[in-house]
Amino acid sequence: VLQYMLQDAAVAKSKRVIETFAKKHGPEWQRKAERTLRLNEKEESDKKMREAMADPETRKRMEEFNKMYAGLSPKERKAMDAQIANNLEQERAKKQFEEQEAKRRIRKGAEL
């Protein structure tokens, strides 16, 4: 229920709610709730968006994209959304793979 209530809430608000519940349920519950709500990912995304909006060139490109996106038909938007989601998932998987490979290399180096 909490996940449903907080799925579209701001990261700071979600963290405050989780911290309040964590006082009763404990730190392990807090870690699980933050992981379930993907707060770290949302926080990183918010940070990247703030950095992007601070850069005039990036801001201009985003505004142009938003204008183009607003002009798309619902069918084209759905296709664009699917493409963006696929690209994000590939980037996330690539990052996760690279992190795992780096850990593996460190372990192998320690074994030698």
Side-chain angles (χ1 to χ4, degrees):
V1 174
L2 190 60
Q3 181 179 359
Y4 175 76
M5 292 172 50
L6 295 175
Q7 68 185 358
D8 294 325
V11 175
K13 180 180 180 183
S14 296
K15 282 194 173 205
R16 283 194 307 271
V17 170
I18 288 173
E19 287 170 0
T20 302
F21 278 91
K23 290 175 185 172
K24 180 177 180 181
H25 299 288
E28 180 62 26
W29 180 90
Q30 182 176 2
R31 282 190 294 278
K32 287 179 181 178
E34 288 175 350
R35 187 174 48 242
T36 300
L37 291 172
R38 303 166 82 177
L39 292 183
N40 290 338
E41 292 176 23
K42 289 180 181 179
E43 197 169 44
E44 184 66 27
S45 177
D46 288 351
K47 180 182 173 187
K48 287 181 181 179
M49 182 60 80
R50 283 191 302 274
E51 290 172 358
M53 295 311 267
D55 179 26
E57 181 65 29
T58 305
R59 174 179 268 184
K60 182 180 176 185
R61 286 196 318 257
M62 289 180 71
E63 288 170 353
E64 290 171 357
F65 173 81
N66 288 337
K67 281 183 184 178
M68 181 274 301
Y69 187 82
L72 296 176
S73 70
K75 186 176 181 180
E76 291 171 324
R77 285 184 188 181
K78 189 174 181 179
M80 178 71 74
D81 291 345
Q83 182 181 2
I84 291 170
N86 185 40
N87 290 347
L88 289 173
E89 182 58 33
Q90 285 181 352
E91 286 178 29
R92 193 175 296 126
K94 181 180 177 182
K95 181 179 177 183
Q96 183 181 10
F97 176 77
E98 289 171 351
E99 289 171 355
Q100 289 174 344
E101 285 295 302
K103 288 178 185 177
R104 186 182 62 79
R105 279 188 232 109
I106 290 171
R107 280 196 309 267
K108 274 195 168 189
E111 292 173 1
L112 298 176

